[in-house]
């Protein structure tokens, strides 16, 4: 079907682009107004009228807000830090399992209590003599203490103080930050005396709570807010409107390395072990003279319904991170064949309507043979996203990272693009004149009127007298890209078939 409309003459494109560029905008507006008036002769429902009257505001400029105070939650593994985070937030955000060491990065959440707002930093479990990935986790916890205004030190009341807890106490004393000792897992009054043993740590009154049941958490938060500053002494100024970037890809493709490279600090635990990032970790970064918010997400596992435990929740969290983002950078490992999993991640971005940039990682490890095969794979497997900007980078060494910002800006500019109604209708008229829709069952569908209902992503609605073939709709979309670019942005084109009112 698509071949029927497959006229890709560059000369025709150039002529059409020139005519549209030199269009008399006043005349085009008058014509589109006449077409819009003509629609009143057709049966229109409330939804049609909403589309026709829809006005989208320009994106807000960046606004600077006061830096929210930061509370760090630290303690050894499996004492219930993430459960306490979820209890304070009032929703299941942090990944919780009975297995120690499920949280591996320091993850920041926005919390609220009694009309006060604050940032809550959940950390991996702290072990004094940890090696390998556990050492990386411990470093993240130390950094969280340094970058906080107040520390909640969580201890398992059933176990009491351990040598690890005493090592954490030395670290906390050295930091000079206000500390609340939390005796967790005190599920009823009978267990409260067990919390008294934590006075021995020398950090003041232990607060008996049950993160699981919520017992004692309200009193604890009231006491914390009495001494928590209103504006953070350590956090960066909050930014009202930075563009939000999700870093996506299958496990161990280099997402955490990419975030660490753009941020310029070890923000995320990086290890050869696939799936080391469990929670989305986001960071405000200045790149190319602009502020961005990068969201690093846990790798999308092979099949969400087959994923086990923590990895299942991390897959759901990835989808949630994509919901928050405006543009997704999908990382592909050039040393491996483009897989079904890679394509599924890309399709997830398209389905969510987010702008898209493809980053081919580990480019410094590729040879000429692999490059030839890769080009063939891109042609076969990624033909449906030929419109997405491509950057070849090395997240580990930082090679060609400067190309990332122009690609993000291009994708977001396309995602934000609006075409004036007059221009869009002139464009449709030119297309219909060059290639009228074929006659089907003795009838030829006509385009009555078109409008861009919204941007982010660009969504166009076309009112017609009959059903447009899928091939003809693809032809309209292809021409839109050829004339207006839309590089890095999906385009939605919907059709509304309407009949004339009966007299």
């Amino acid at each position: 079907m698509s071949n029927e409309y497959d006229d890709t003459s560059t000369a025709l494109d150039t002529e059409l682009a020139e005519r549209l560029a030199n269009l008399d905008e006043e005349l085009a507006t008058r014509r589109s107004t006449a077409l819009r008036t003509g629609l009143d002769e057709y049966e229109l429902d409330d939804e049609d009228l909403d589309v026709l009257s829809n006005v989208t505001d320009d994106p807000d400029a960046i606004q600077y807000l006061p830096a929210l105070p930061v509370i760090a939650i630290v303690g050894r593994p499996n004492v219930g830090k993430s459960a306490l985070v979820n209890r304070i937030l009032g929703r299941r955000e942090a990944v919780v399992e009975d297995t120690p060491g499920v949280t591996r990065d320091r993850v920041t959440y926005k919390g609220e209590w009694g009309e006060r707002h604050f940032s809550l930093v959940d950390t991996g479990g702290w072990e004094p003599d940890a090696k390998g990935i556990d050492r990386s986790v411990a470093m993240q916890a130390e950094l969280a203490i340094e970058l906080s205004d107040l520390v909640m030190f969580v201890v398992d009341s059933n176990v009491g103080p351990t040598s690890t807890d005493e090592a954490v106490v030395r670290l906390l004393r050295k930091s000079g930050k206000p500390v609340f000792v939390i005796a967790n897992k005190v599920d009823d009054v009978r267990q409260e005396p067990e919390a008294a043993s934590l006075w021995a740590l020398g950090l003041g009154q232990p607060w008996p709570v049950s993160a699981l049941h919520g017992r004692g958490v309200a009193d604890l938060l009231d006491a914390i807010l009495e001494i928590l500053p209103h504006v953070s002494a350590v956090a960066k100024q909050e930014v009202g409107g930075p563009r939000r970037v999700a870093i996506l890809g299958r496990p161990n493709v280099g997402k955490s390395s990419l975030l660490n490279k753009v941020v310029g600090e070890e923000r995320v635990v990086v290890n050869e072990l696939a799936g080391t990032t469990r929670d989305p970790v986001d960071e405000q970064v200045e790149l190319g003279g602009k502020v961005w918010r990068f969201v690093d997400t846990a790798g999308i596992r092979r099949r969400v319904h087959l994923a086990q435990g923590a990895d299942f929740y991390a897959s759901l969290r990835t989808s949630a991170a994509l919901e928050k983002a405006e543009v997704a950078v999908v990382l592909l490992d050039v040393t491996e064949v483009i897989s079904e999993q890679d394509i599924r991640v890309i399709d997830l971005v398209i389905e969510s309507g987010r702008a898209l940039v493809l980053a081919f990682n580990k480019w410094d490890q590729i040879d000429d043979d692999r490059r030839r095969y890769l080009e063939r794979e891109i042609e076969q497997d990624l033909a449906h996203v030929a419109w997405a900007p491509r950057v070849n980078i090395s997240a580990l060494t930082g090679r060609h990272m400067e190309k990332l910002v122009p690609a993000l800006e291009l994708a977001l500019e396309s995602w934000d693009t609006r075409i004036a109604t007059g221009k869009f209708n002139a464009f449709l008229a030119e297309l219909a004149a060059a290639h009228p829709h074929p006659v089907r069952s003795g009838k030829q569908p006509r385009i009555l009127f078109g409008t861009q209902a919204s941007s982010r992503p660009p969504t166009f609605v076309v009112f017609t007298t009959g059903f447009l073939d899928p091939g003809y709709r693809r032809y309209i979309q292809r021409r839109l890209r050829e004339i207006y670019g839309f590089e890095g942005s999906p385009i939605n084109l919907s059709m509304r078939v309407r009949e004339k009112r009966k007299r």
Side-chain angles (χ1 to χ4, degrees), residues 42 86 126 154 161 169 176 189 194 231 241 250 265 283 368 433 487:
Y42 289 78
N86 289 336
W126 197 89
V154 185
V169 168
V189 182
E194 291 171 15
V231 178
R250 55 190 169 82
E265 61 167 292
E283 182 77 24
D368 289 342
E487 286 176 78

Side-chain angles (χ1 to χ4, degrees), residues 464-481:
T464 67
T465 60
F467 185 80
L468 300 182
D469 289 344
Y472 200 79
R473 278 178 278 160
R474 284 195 296 273
Y475 163 67
I476 294 172
Q477 285 180 298
R478 194 170 62 248
R479 280 288 189 254
L480 271 170
R481 289 197 183 281

Side-chain angles (χ1 to χ4, degrees), residues 67-70 147-149 229-236:
L68 292 177
V70 180
L147 298 177
S148 67
D149 297 291
H230 284 264
V231 178
S232 174
V234 289
K236 294 176 189 171

Side-chain angles (χ1 to χ4, degrees), residues 41-44 448 464-465 497-502:
E41 294 177 20
Y42 289 78
E43 299 280 355
L44 301 176
L448 300 167
T464 67
T465 60
V497 180
R498 294 295 174 259
E499 292 179 353
K500 273 203 169 183
R501 292 178 192 277
K502 291 184 173 63

Side-chain angles (χ1 to χ4, degrees), residues 301-319:
R301 286 293 178 183
R302 289 188 185 283
R303 289 260 186 272
V304 167
H305 60 273
L306 292 181
Q308 297 295 311
D311 288 330
F312 169 72
Y313 291 112
S315 295
L316 296 184
R317 200 72 22 83
T318 293
S319 299

Side-chain angles (χ1 to χ4, degrees), residues 155-301:
V155 182
D156 185 338
S157 65
N158 298 329
V159 177
T162 66
S163 57
T164 301
D165 291 327
E166 282 159 16
V168 179
V169 168
R170 287 195 292 275
L171 190 69
L172 291 170
R173 281 214 184 97
K174 211 191 305 177
S175 75
K177 301 285 165 85
V179 178
F180 277 70
V181 178
I182 317 299
N184 192 24
K185 307 185 184 179
V186 178
D187 297 334
D188 55 41
V189 182
R190 286 169 303 172
Q191 290 176 290
E192 279 194 10
E194 291 171 15
S197 65
L198 300 181
W199 279 98
L201 292 170
L203 289 173
Q205 175 194 343
W207 290 81
V209 304
S210 170
L212 198 61
H213 302 113
R215 189 174 182 274
V217 174
D219 292 341
L220 168 67
L221 288 172
D222 287 341
I224 283 173
L225 292 184
E226 279 180 25
I227 64 166
L228 189 72
H230 284 264
V231 178
S232 174
V234 289
K236 294 176 189 171
Q237 218 177 9
E238 285 287 316
V239 177
R243 307 312 297 258
R244 297 183 302 279
V245 186
I247 303 171
L248 299 182
R250 55 190 169 82
N252 217 30
V253 81
K255 300 183 295 296
S256 298
S257 297
L258 176 60
L259 187 71
N260 286 339
K261 189 54 72 176
V262 296
V263 172
E265 61 167 292
E266 286 290 312
R267 181 72 174 85
V268 180
V269 173
V270 177
N271 195 281
E272 283 302 308
L273 178 66
T276 46
T277 305
R278 285 279 174 74
D279 291 283
V281 180
D282 50 342
E283 182 77 24
Q284 219 157 269
V285 182
E286 192 170 320
L287 271 184
K290 280 188 179 177
V291 178
W292 305 82
R293 187 181 287 279
F294 277 83
V295 182
D296 175 69
T297 61
I300 297 173
R301 286 293 178 183

